[in-house]
Amino acid sequence: MDYVIEMLHITKKFPGIIANDDITIQLKKGEIHALLGENGAGKSTLMSVLFGLYQPEEGTIKVKGREVKIKGPLDANALGIGMVHQHFKLVHNFTVLQNIVLGMETVEKGFLKMDDARKKVMELSRKYNLFIDPDALISDITVGMQQRVEILKMLYRDNEIMIFDEPTAVLTPQEIDELMQIMRNLTAEGKSILFITHKLNEIKAVADRCSVLRRGKYIGTVEVQDTTKDEMSEMMVGRKVNLTVDKSEAKPGDVVLEVENLSVDARQEGHTKKLVSSVSFQVRRGEIVCIAGIDGNGQTELVQAVTGLRGMSSGTVRINGEDVTKKNIRYRNTHGMSHIPEDRHKHGLVLDYNLAYNGVLQQYFGTEFQSHGFLKNDRIYEYAGKLISNFDIRSGEGAATITRSMSGGNQQKVIVAREILRPHDLLLAVQPTRGLDVGAIEYIHSELVKQRDNGSAILLVSLELDEVMNLSDRILVIFEGHIVAELNPKEVTVQELGLYMAGSKKEGKGNEV
Amino acid sequence: MKFKKKKNYVGVLSSVFAIFIGLMVGLVVLLLCNPSQALPGFATILSGAFTHGMRGVGQVFYYATPIILTGLSVGFAFKTGVFNIGTPGQFIMGGFGAVYVGIMWDQLGPVHWAAALLAAVVMGALWGLVPGVLKAYFNVNVVISCIMMNYIGMYLVNWVVRSYKPLFNTLRNESKNVAATAVIPKMGLDKVFPGSSVNGGIIIAILVVLLIYVILEKTIFGYELKAVGYNQDAGKYAGINEKRNVVLSMMIAGAIAGLAGGLLYLAGTGKHIEIKDVLASEGFTGISVALLGLSHPVGVLFAGLFIAYLTAGGFYLQLFEFSTEIIDIIVAVIIYFSAFALIVKTLLGKLKDKKAGKEGGNET
């Protein structure tokens, strides 16, 4: 039999929806098989079925031609199936080696015996060119390295079938290239890979075949070589998608946001570390300025200082010429600032509130929504209706839906809708499309451009190079808390931008912007 | 209805389920102790509260008054994101405030009882304020500071009552009677429930329940409190002063628990502050009531009444030579199981799956 895994006619229903409707996926030995689909298309459910977390109502799973019943992750592991999760499952204050052997430690008379494990890990690391340091602490190594530790974990367990769940979301362009190479090495050694993603470039680069899911239904499996990106995105979304952003030349107007010598220090265990060091820049009406950088280089702290979520150690922030450095968040919110936060679950939404209540999170105290301290519920629900219809937010029970039960993409739409519909001069959008599918990304991009053309000043923080290149009118590259370059997206290539972001290239003129 | 809220059926169902299991365990305990008397004893638990007709019902309301309020205190704090385990301390401080004003300020006339209750509210609020401030500005764990405040409150009250002559009844080692003007008026309830200890306190308690319900569900203040309770970071992002909200919600929780103490010690039923080194049990019962009532004000009201009903019925267990502690066991089991809402949910889910499987003729 050719196939190492066959999931045949899988149907999994949840109350009200069919998450997987008669889906068939067949993974050949030694191939990289991409699983492509929008958010909520049923990819995660399908993988949960494969890992035994859900039992399907119909359908069978075959491993190497033999029908199996998988009741839980341990069964899956025993069958040689391993997974690199989107959010790594690592113990941060353990070393690399300790993480790899965790759960299957070799012991002798009750004492740990690491020598054999170390030998095996080092051999595997050499064989697949992973270059890991077995004694480094997880908290000290880069995200890319952490991912390799996850891969080693699967190799150490002799898994033959590897599932990668959106593995490139957290990586730099160079790291992505390296990962692709590692994946090719793995398949050359006879491993089979299921690659979950919604990035078409990566599928084109590395996958052999691609299966597409849409709204729980199986659309088809194609040979990647014979299919164009446009065809695949059409299969995924069900209509033609515009992959590039249409926008006219920016017409910058007055300065809206002015940041001067902003520094943020982190005090930890007695010593201070500069997370952001004297950053200055301006954002004008009618332009999209993008802060590009690899995650963890200070962009989060910079934006939190601008919004007031975090204190700054020095510097000034002006909105519309007014110094708001010492003003609280409420003041900034009501004086022209809108903010699409980086972490929609932590900051953006009160997940246990319904859509309507989340829609007025920064406005409930205005006279439109309250009188004498009592909420005007009818107004709040009316307003939510406006958000829903203007932004095509889909939810089970309309405005009364608890946001926790909504899909990630629609949660993000709620935030984007709320922040755009609020009166604002400045829109801070931090990774506004993270984890969203092509359809939603296209939509949010066009909304941002529309806001720009309506005269908003937009500060975009993004880790996605395509987004940076497509959307911005100016690019500021942040590296280790410094702005190391100001670039024009029309004059720079993705590769060059990647080098700036990785800190291996700097602009001579420093951070004068 | 356009704004119809999604009903928490699973929650209510799990409470009902917990009550059922709790009662069954109670029955087993009765059977183990004395099989021949078990069934009549069990019947007494269920119906004992009605033994003396309306008087029994009045007793249920009397028992329910303080625990509804301590339950409301815990439930309210819980909705706003803090676990107020400090109700015993707030309760006894409130009781002390009421007793102090009730004994010392006897020239106040008809507003005397109201002034004494106000003192109870203030003292309780003060005792809630301290953990609130510690949490908001120094990030001290509320549970720990609340437990500390419980002991500080208990010993402080013991010490002050014992050492301050006008308050202390040396013969009985407890506080003296409050002035007649400080006793909560009956508000006509003595006519409806003749011979029982019930007084206007239950009406006050119900009004407070409604007030808290309105604050939580209808006002922007409640919107803020709950937003911060559900997600402090999102509250901050929205520009809500989340520190102030933590302090306020602990103060309000403390005030409610303090009121509970005031209502009990001003009931005029021979209840005095006794000098014992024991935390007020009404405070801890509040946690049970809040859990059973799913922290919802109206749920808390019914949970308080239910537990009071069992306690009243359990009193008559002594007729069958059972000890009344069995009621405590039943209540404990009920709480134990009501904390397992999730298990109930999965159990129900499995049952449904099985049914569906059978109907679908799924052979695997």
Side-chain angles (χ1 to χ4, degrees):
Chain A
M1 199 69 201
D2 252 343
Y3 298 114
V4 283
I5 286 193
E6 291 170 273
M7 299 183 78
L8 303 169
H9 308 289
I10 300 288
T11 297
K12 174 72 201 165
K13 294 174 190 157
F14 291 110
I17 54 161
I18 304 175
N20 288 161
D21 186 1
D22 191 15
I23 290 179
T24 297
I25 299 254
Q26 291 169 311
L27 179 65
K28 282 183 194 161
K29 187 170 172 58
E31 76 164 343
I32 299 179
H33 191 119
L35 188 56
L36 177 66
E38 294 187 288
N39 292 305
K43 291 172 298 185
S44 314
T45 308
L46 192 64
M47 288 307 113
S48 300
V49 168
L50 182 56
F51 265 78
L53 299 171
Y54 295 134
Q55 295 304 319
E57 271 87 39
E58 279 164 49
T60 48
I61 300 173
K62 286 186 184 173
V63 174
K64 292 174 187 151
R66 196 164 49 86
E67 191 171 325
V68 292
K69 191 139 181 61
I70 299 172
K71 293 206 181 80
L74 287 177
D75 288 359
N77 209 347
L79 290 165
I81 305 171
M83 181 158 179
V84 176
H85 294 266
Q86 204 174 351
H87 302 282
F88 305 146
K89 317 276 184 203
L90 296 171
V91 183
H92 274 236
N93 51 0
F94 269 21
T95 65
V96 168
L97 183 64
Q98 285 169 331
N99 266 288
I100 291 171
V101 301
L102 188 64
M104 47 186 310
E105 304 86 350
T106 38
V107 288
E108 200 177 79
K109 293 176 185 137
F111 289 95
L112 266 182
K113 206 162 167 298
M114 297 293 258
D115 294 347
D116 295 345
R118 177 184 294 268
K119 227 170 92 191
K120 187 174 173 190
V121 168
M122 291 315 289
E123 262 168 33
L124 288 169
S125 171
R126 255 193 304 278
K127 186 170 166 193
Y128 293 97
N129 291 329
L130 296 174
F131 306 112
I132 54 110
D133 169 9
D135 298 313
L137 285 179
I138 294 296
S139 49
D140 292 342
I141 62 178
T142 63
V143 179
M145 275 295 170
Q146 292 179 8
Q147 192 171 55
R148 293 180 181 192
V149 176
E150 287 281 8
I151 295 171
L152 262 174
K153 263 165 79 178
M154 295 194 295
L155 292 170
Y156 186 77
R157 284 157 180 71
D158 298 322
N159 290 333
E160 292 293 319
I161 299 139
M162 304 183 166
I163 301 168
F164 286 79
D165 188 4
E166 300 189 17
T168 57
V170 290
L171 303 181
T172 63
Q174 282 78 9
E175 283 176 321
I176 291 175
D177 288 344
E178 285 166 17
L179 175 69
M180 299 286 161
Q181 194 51 49
I182 292 170
M183 287 168 80
R184 285 188 203 106
N185 290 344
L186 288 168
T187 49
E189 292 289 332
K191 312 276 182 194
S192 314
I193 294 178
L194 251 179
F195 178 33
I196 305 172
T197 186
H198 40 239
K199 290 185 193 160
L200 301 163
N201 289 337
E202 292 163 7
I203 295 179
K204 264 308 214 192
V206 76
D208 301 309
R209 294 193 303 151
C210 172
S211 293
V212 184
L213 304 186
R214 184 167 78 225
R215 299 205 180 164
K217 287 202 168 54
Y218 173 67
I219 302 301
T221 302
V222 295
E223 294 290 334
V224 172
Q225 271 192 326
D226 312 334
T227 318
T228 66
K229 278 195 272 182
D230 290 323
E231 283 167 339
M232 281 193 279
S233 74
E234 203 180 323
M235 282 175 82
M236 167 167 74
V237 186
R239 61 182 164 85
K240 285 224 184 292
V241 175
N242 192 355
L243 288 174
T244 50
V245 183
D246 284 326
K247 67 183 172 77
S248 52
E249 200 62 32
K251 298 179 200 72
D254 308 334
V255 173
V256 176
L257 173 70
E258 201 176 357
V259 174
E260 225 174 279
N261 291 323
L262 190 151
S263 291
V264 178
D265 293 344
R267 280 181 201 82
Q268 257 180 352
E269 292 158 13
H271 59 90
T272 48
K273 189 183 161 206
K274 273 212 179 321
L275 298 173
V276 179
S277 44
S278 33
V279 165
S280 305
F281 62 89
Q282 296 178 333
V283 186
R284 296 163 186 277
R285 271 184 202 288
E287 69 169 349
I288 298 178
V289 175
C290 179
I291 296 183
I294 298 161
D295 203 8
N297 272 291
Q299 55 272 69
T300 305
E301 290 78 11
L302 172 60
V303 171
Q304 288 187 344
V306 171
T307 54
L309 279 173
R310 173 195 279 265
M312 56 182 103
S313 38
S314 62
T316 43
V317 175
R318 286 190 205 92
I319 295 175
N320 286 328
E322 185 186 4
D323 187 351
V324 296
T325 314
K326 298 231 153 49
K327 303 289 188 191
N328 59 24
I329 298 172
R330 170 74 36 100
Y331 187 90
R332 299 179 203 208
N333 277 342
T334 49
H335 288 74
M337 185 184 83
S338 265
H339 175 201
I340 300 169
E342 178 176 2
D343 189 333
R344 58 176 168 258
H345 288 171
K346 188 175 180 202
H347 290 116
L349 294 169
V350 177
L351 285 173
D352 295 302
Y353 268 170
N354 64 25
L355 199 163
Y357 274 23
N358 270 299
V360 293
L361 200 56
Q362 300 106 319
Q363 290 157 286
Y364 63 89
F365 50 85
T367 45
E368 195 188 344
F369 299 115
Q370 63 105 5
S371 65
H372 308 293
F374 284 87
L375 294 167
K376 290 182 187 164
N377 272 316
D378 38 357
R379 281 293 190 71
I380 291 172
Y381 280 80
E382 212 177 287
Y383 186 74
K386 205 159 105 188
L387 296 181
I388 292 171
S389 61
N390 285 13
F391 288 79
D392 186 32
I393 300 167
R394 291 186 202 152
S395 59
E397 292 152 87
T401 316
I402 301 295
T403 43
R404 189 183 289 286
S405 68
M406 294 166 61
S407 73
N410 280 302
Q411 289 175 346
Q412 185 72 7
K413 275 188 178 176
V414 173
I415 297 173
V416 171
R418 178 181 75 205
E419 298 307 312
I420 284 182
L421 228 55
R422 272 172 59 202
H424 63 274
D425 303 308
L426 169 69
L427 178 59
L428 294 155
V430 187
Q431 298 187 41
T433 59
R434 178 159 76 165
L436 300 189
D437 53 70
V438 176
I441 290 174
E442 182 194 18
Y443 183 77
I444 287 175
H445 282 176
S446 70
E447 274 304 323
L448 288 177
V449 172
K450 212 192 284 172
Q451 288 304 305
R452 180 198 76 165
D453 294 341
N454 286 345
S456 286
I458 296 177
L459 181 66
L460 173 75
V461 176
S462 178
L463 307 176
E464 303 279 344
L465 285 177
D466 287 341
E467 185 165 272
V468 173
M469 296 299 280
N470 277 332
L471 214 52
S472 51
D473 299 312
R474 273 196 295 146
I475 301 173
L476 305 173
V477 181
I478 191 165
F479 177 71
E480 291 190 342
H482 295 272
I483 289 191
V484 292
E486 180 185 351
L487 306 168
N488 182 340
K490 291 195 186 68
E491 294 163 6
V492 68
T493 64
V494 177
Q495 281 69 27
E496 240 180 301
L497 181 58
L499 290 175
Y500 278 112
M501 285 163 63
S504 46
K505 197 168 171 185
K506 274 181 194 170
E507 234 178 24
K509 61 175 181 174
N511 58 3
E512 169 214 339
V513 175
Chain B
M1 268 276 282
K2 203 170 148 197
F3 315 133
K4 214 168 68 181
K5 286 247 169 67
K6 213 178 144 184
K7 292 255 162 45
N8 193 352
Y9 289 119
V10 174
V12 174
L13 216 59
S14 79
S15 285
V16 172
F17 173 79
I19 288 169
F20 177 75
I21 298 276
L23 290 173
M24 285 304 110
V25 170
L27 179 58
V28 170
V29 173
L30 291 178
L31 280 168
L32 287 176
C33 294
N34 187 351
S36 61
Q37 297 291 323
L39 285 176
F42 190 66
T44 302
I45 293 175
L46 294 183
S47 63
F50 292 117
T51 306
H52 296 283
M54 288 314 264
R55 175 171 164 243
V57 179
Q59 277 319 98
V60 170
F61 284 132
Y62 169 69
Y63 290 135
T65 305
I67 61 175
I68 287 172
L69 286 175
T70 51
L72 186 66
S73 166
V74 177
F76 171 80
F78 201 70
K79 282 250 168 189
T80 59
V82 277
F83 184 30
N84 177 22
I85 200 173
T87 39
Q90 294 146 11
F91 178 87
I92 198 67
M93 287 306 287
F96 171 75
V99 167
Y100 180 86
V101 173
I103 293 174
M104 304 303 292
W105 299 4
D106 53 358
Q107 61 280 63
L108 280 173
V111 295
H112 191 184
W113 64 274
L117 279 185
L118 191 65
V121 167
V122 170
M123 292 303 284
L126 191 68
W127 236 240
L129 172 75
V130 177
V133 168
L134 288 175
K135 167 73 190 166
Y137 295 98
F138 303 98
N139 203 21
V140 176
N141 190 315
V142 174
V143 172
I144 293 172
S145 53
C146 274
I147 291 176
M148 296 299 171
M149 293 303 282
N150 283 344
Y151 284 97
I152 296 172
M154 174 187 81
Y155 286 115
L156 188 67
V157 169
N158 282 354
W159 173 55
V160 175
V161 169
R162 192 163 41 204
S163 53
Y164 192 52
K165 283 273 153 1
L167 294 179
F168 192 49
N169 180 341
T170 34
L171 285 177
R172 307 190 52 174
N173 197 30
E174 62 186 24
S175 61
K176 284 184 179 164
N177 285 340
V178 296
T181 44
V183 173
I184 311 282
K186 294 282 186 193
M187 299 190 188
L189 291 175
D190 51 341
K191 308 274 190 317
V192 189
F193 308 107
S196 76
S197 313
V198 71
N199 57 44
I202 186 70
I203 295 173
I204 295 171
I206 291 171
L207 287 177
V208 173
V209 165
L210 291 178
L211 178 72
I212 293 296
Y213 173 77
V214 169
I215 287 178
L216 277 178
E217 301 297 328
K218 306 287 176 200
T219 67
I220 59 167
F221 180 50
Y223 178 95
E224 286 189 358
L225 285 177
K226 280 195 297 179
V228 172
Y230 285 137
N231 184 347
Q232 197 169 339
D233 292 306
K236 190 176 175 188
Y237 160 84
I240 297 167
N241 186 341
E242 86 279 11
K243 290 184 161 61
R244 193 194 65 145
N245 270 325
V246 169
V247 174
L248 279 178
S249 80
M250 272 308 287
M251 259 181 80
I252 293 172
I256 301 169
L259 178 66
L263 287 177
L264 184 66
Y265 290 107
L266 296 179
T269 51
K271 188 87 182 161
H272 300 93
I273 296 177
E274 298 171 50
I275 309 297
K276 321 185 274 197
D277 294 347
V278 179
L279 293 175
S281 66
E282 288 85 352
F284 285 125
T285 309
I287 298 171
S288 316
V289 172
L291 280 173
L292 191 59
L294 306 171
S295 296
H296 190 281
V298 178
V300 161
L301 176 64
F302 285 110
L305 285 171
F306 176 74
I307 289 182
Y309 179 83
L310 282 188
T311 314
F315 180 76
Y316 295 101
L317 268 185
Q318 294 168 90
L319 295 178
F320 302 95
E321 295 177 0
F322 288 115
S323 72
T324 52
E325 273 81 2
I326 287 173
I327 290 302
D328 292 330
I329 294 178
I330 293 176
V331 171
V333 173
I334 289 173
I335 300 316
Y336 201 70
F337 276 90
S338 63
F340 286 126
L342 204 66
I343 292 181
V344 179
K345 205 174 156 187
T346 27
L347 275 178
L348 289 173
K350 276 217 175 118
L351 269 173
K352 227 168 141 190
D353 274 359
K354 247 185 196 164
K355 244 186 180 171
K358 266 180 197 155
E359 281 162 9
N362 199 339
E363 70 280 2
T364 49

